[in-house]
Amino acid sequence: MTTTQNAASPIGDATLAEFTAGLRGTAVLPGEAQYDQARSVWNGAHDRRPAVIARCAGVADVIRTIDFARSEGQPLAVRGGGHSIPGFSTLDGGIVLDLSPMTGVQVHPESRTVSAQAGCTWKDLDAETQQFGLAVTGGLVSSTGIAGFTTGGGIGWLMRKYGLACDNLVGADVVTADGQFVRASERENAELFWGLRGGGGNFGVVTSFEFQLHEIGATVLSGLVFYPAEEAQQVLAGYRAACASAPDELTTLVNLTTAPPVPFLPASVHGTPVIGVGGCWSGDLDAGEAATAPFRSLGTVIADVFAPHPYAGWQQALDPLYPRGIHNYFRSALLRTVDDDALRVLQDFFAVLPNPLTEIHLQHLGGAVGRVPASETAYALRDQEFIVNVIARTTDADGFGKVVDWARQVTAALGPDAGAYVNFTGESDPSLVRASYPPDTYRRLVELKNHYDPANLFRLNQNIVPSVSSE
């Protein structure tokens, strides 16, 4: 699945040489030995050839790269962790602003805050914050970058207790489309700060994030319990009922999937459809046994691997299942409630999984996520109790179109009123971007875009199109 991109005009050799000579970091060009590695991204569905990859060493390089793209009229892709499902972190021709060398992290235990540069992944951040028993809501796959994850909302294992990643953002350093360096917080550039918490990368390049941290210790009660596929109706209905009384300390999801060949599952189920219920308890470990019990007795248990785990280890537990380089397409639907019709849709599409790599996740929101006022952040669909994430994957291009169609069918069947999670809209589709925000929020985002990026320099994203743009 590809994204629509404007054609890039060639950059003159002398102009390019002048630009690259002024970087403190490095520029990688076509034909150089490291070019193929530097241009690759996590999602193998996007094989692009940029004209230059600017591997930024710091803010000065970011400013220089933005100024160069603007002055030369070149399309610009911004890369943090490089996990963009629609491929926004790369392009053909044009310039990739690569933040991945910028991975500095500074934890402030006294104030329970952390400052992290935008090239960090969640694995980087967790490694530092866990030295002090602290954490903030991060991605379910630790190689995900903190930048796009946070600016799009940020759904993770700690969210019901501590909110989304964007809810814990307390400040950000940003380079805007005109090359200006600004600070965004509740006290400085407050409207920009509002937009960064859910509005994606539309308003500038965040070079550093400051998060509020929470004391969770080094160990959480977490794990998975597996049930037979033929008990899907019972398990899904039981899951919905159990969520109604779940404490905020417990974040859970259902994974309608295919059993991987892991040692804790019987060999007889390897490669067959199963239902996994995963959870993370971020409170007192003893209390967690009682809180997780309803989710661990929803049907015939194939295996139960809930146990105390190092938090950083649990954050990386799913990494082997999401390797770099395969083809990925994700779609989502936010639901106020999961009624019987929605459960039937999930069961029906679970019965026709296109391949063993495809999955349907039903994840419980609520808790701290729902208590944030809708107007406080650009992530405004706060009254949605559940999110369905549809994971469509193939090892290579063969059959990829088929699984993409399947994923679209799942979300379409959930109904036209389902909202979308902007990080999992699958592609650059204006209707899906609009579905990620209430109308008043979207209008406010357009006004913010008009102010900070009227020419739509930052358009390789889930784009908020400025009303004053000629794009």
Side-chain angles (χ1 to χ4, degrees), residues 62-64 66-67 70 174-181 457-458:
V62 174
I63 293 173
R64 183 175 182 83
I66 290 173
D67 287 346
R70 186 184 64 249
V174 187
V175 179
T176 58
D178 59 359
Q180 299 300 305
F181 177 80
L457 176 67
F458 303 118

Side-chain angles (χ1 to χ4, degrees), residues 219-222 285 289 305-310:
T219 304
V220 292
L221 180 67
S222 58
L285 290 179
E289 288 291 336
V305 292
F306 268 84
H309 294 111

Side-chain angles (χ1 to χ4, degrees), residues 162 172 196 246 303 327 355 381 385 417 423 446 457:
Y162 298 116
L196 294 176
H327 284 46
N355 66 38
L381 295 174
E385 189 73 12
D417 295 331
N423 280 347
V446 171
L457 176 67

Side-chain angles (χ1 to χ4, degrees), residues 8-379:
S9 57
I11 306 172
D13 291 344
T15 302
L16 189 57
E18 181 182 1
F19 164 67
T20 59
L23 291 173
R24 188 165 66 88
T26 58
V28 184
L29 305 176
E32 295 183 348
Q34 66 269 45
Y35 177 72
D36 281 340
Q37 180 179 0
R39 72 183 180 88
S40 71
V41 291
W42 175 80
N43 187 358
H46 306 290
D47 184 18
R48 303 275 171 71
R49 303 189 67 84
V52 58
I53 302 162
R55 305 191 75 246
C56 297
V59 171
D61 284 352
V62 174
I63 293 173
R64 183 175 182 83
T65 303
I66 290 173
D67 287 346
F68 182 66
R70 186 184 64 249
S71 64
E72 294 298 314
Q74 290 290 320
L76 179 69
V78 180
R79 180 185 302 169
H83 264 239
S84 170
I85 300 300
F88 294 139
S89 50
T90 188
L91 76 175
D92 284 320
I95 302 165
V96 171
L97 191 163
D98 185 0
L99 297 160
S100 63
M102 297 172 57
T103 58
V105 179
Q106 187 172 9
V107 181
H108 308 283
E110 300 81 7
S111 61
R112 294 184 182 174
T113 59
V114 60
S115 297
Q117 290 183 305
C120 289
T121 65
W122 285 104
K123 184 176 183 179
D124 297 327
L125 193 67
D126 292 337
E128 298 294 332
T129 60
Q130 276 290 281
Q131 288 296 313
F132 306 93
L134 302 172
V136 64
T137 304
L140 302 188
V141 178
S142 74
S143 58
T144 303
I146 68 171
F149 179 89
T150 299
T151 57
I155 289 171
W157 289 119
L158 301 180
M159 65 181 174
R160 282 181 41 80
K161 177 63 174 177
Y162 298 116
L164 306 175
C166 73
D167 299 334
N168 292 280
L169 187 67
V170 295
D173 295 337
V174 187
V175 179
T176 58
D178 59 359
Q180 299 300 305
F181 177 80
V182 300
R183 176 71 173 174
S185 68
E186 288 185 349
R187 297 178 302 278
E188 305 170 86
N189 300 296
E191 188 68 3
L192 174 60
F193 182 57
W194 170 85
L196 294 176
R197 291 177 291 165
N202 277 282
F203 315 110
V205 176
V206 179
T207 58
S208 182
F209 293 80
E210 184 180 0
F211 293 103
Q212 185 67 57
L213 299 172
H214 305 278
E215 188 169 356
I216 66 164
T219 304
V220 292
L221 180 67
S222 58
L224 291 157
V225 56
F226 292 89
Y227 302 102
E230 56 268 25
E231 296 181 10
Q233 182 177 3
Q234 172 187 332
V235 172
L236 286 170
Y239 176 76
R240 177 180 60 187
C243 286
S245 57
D248 289 356
E249 291 86 354
L250 181 61
T251 298
T252 60
L253 64 79
V254 172
N255 186 2
L256 306 176
T257 187
T258 300
V262 291
F264 54 79
L265 287 177
S268 59
V269 304
H270 291 178
T272 68
V274 293
I275 307 164
V277 176
C280 179
W281 170 261
S282 56
D284 176 77
L285 290 179
D286 292 334
E289 288 291 336
T292 59
F295 296 89
R296 299 160 68 182
S297 55
L298 298 173
T300 305
V301 174
I302 298 173
D304 183 345
V305 292
F306 268 84
H309 294 111
Y311 172 74
W314 177 240
Q315 283 289 93
Q316 299 170 39
L318 301 181
D319 289 5
L321 301 179
Y322 292 88
R324 185 183 182 93
I326 69 173
H327 284 46
N328 290 267
Y329 179 86
F330 294 3
R331 284 292 283 268
S332 65
L334 286 158
L335 303 172
R336 285 187 176 87
T337 60
V338 178
D339 59 20
D340 290 344
D341 288 341
L343 292 186
R344 276 192 292 272
V345 168
L346 301 183
Q347 292 170 51
D348 290 345
F349 281 94
F350 177 38
V352 292
L353 291 178
N355 66 38
L357 293 175
T358 53
E359 301 175 341
I360 303 173
H361 298 174
L362 174 65
Q363 191 161 10
H364 188 206
L365 299 172
V369 177
R371 285 195 291 272
V372 175
S375 62
E376 189 167 306
T377 67
Y379 183 100

